[in-house]
Amino acid sequence: MARSLGSPDVTIIGADVTKLQDTKRFVDETVNHFGRLDHLVNNAGVIGVPILIEDFPNFTKYTSIMETNFWGAAYGTLYAIPHLKNSKGRIIVVAS
């Protein structure tokens, strides 16, 4: 779709943002393909059953949500920062 809208070059990289090695790989593959990284968009997220924090019976039930929603953004950012500093790029976080 990006190509049909006029993007001259597109690459698709599948990754699991909860895995540190996957986030390093997608940043490295992006930089290897394009020669630089201008922006990082942290947009991965999963939803659980809404519950008030004071009603949490067991925090460990929500570990997978935190791995994706929090650590997924942190891991990608960790590997992207050196490249973003070089390009004076930006980090965009989509969260709710």
Side-chain angles (χ1 to χ4, degrees), residues 12-27:
I12 298 169
I13 304 167
D16 181 342
V17 297
T18 67
K19 296 180 179 168
L20 197 57
Q21 66 275 14
D22 267 16
T23 57
K24 181 177 184 345
R25 181 181 52 77
F26 79 67
V27 170

Side-chain angles (χ1 to χ4, degrees), residues 61-74:
K61 287 175 45 178
Y62 298 91
T63 301
S64 65
I65 293 170
M66 289 298 295
E67 285 175 352
T68 300
N69 296 3
F70 177 76
W71 289 112

Side-chain angles (χ1 to χ4, degrees), residues 15-76:
D16 181 342
V17 297
T18 67
K19 296 180 179 168
L20 197 57
Q21 66 275 14
D22 267 16
T23 57
K24 181 177 184 345
R25 181 181 52 77
F26 79 67
V27 170
D28 289 345
E29 285 186 28
T30 301
V31 172
N32 289 336
H33 182 83
F34 292 104
R36 61 187 284 159
L37 181 64
D38 293 318
H39 298 1
L40 172 69
V41 179
N42 286 313
N43 190 37
V46 293
I47 184 169
V49 177
I51 188 169
L52 296 173
I53 195 153
E54 60 266 19
D55 295 334
F56 268 19
N58 183 353
F59 281 102
T60 60
K61 287 175 45 178
Y62 298 91
T63 301
S64 65
I65 293 170
M66 289 298 295
E67 285 175 352
T68 300
N69 296 3
F70 177 76
W71 289 112
Y75 291 161

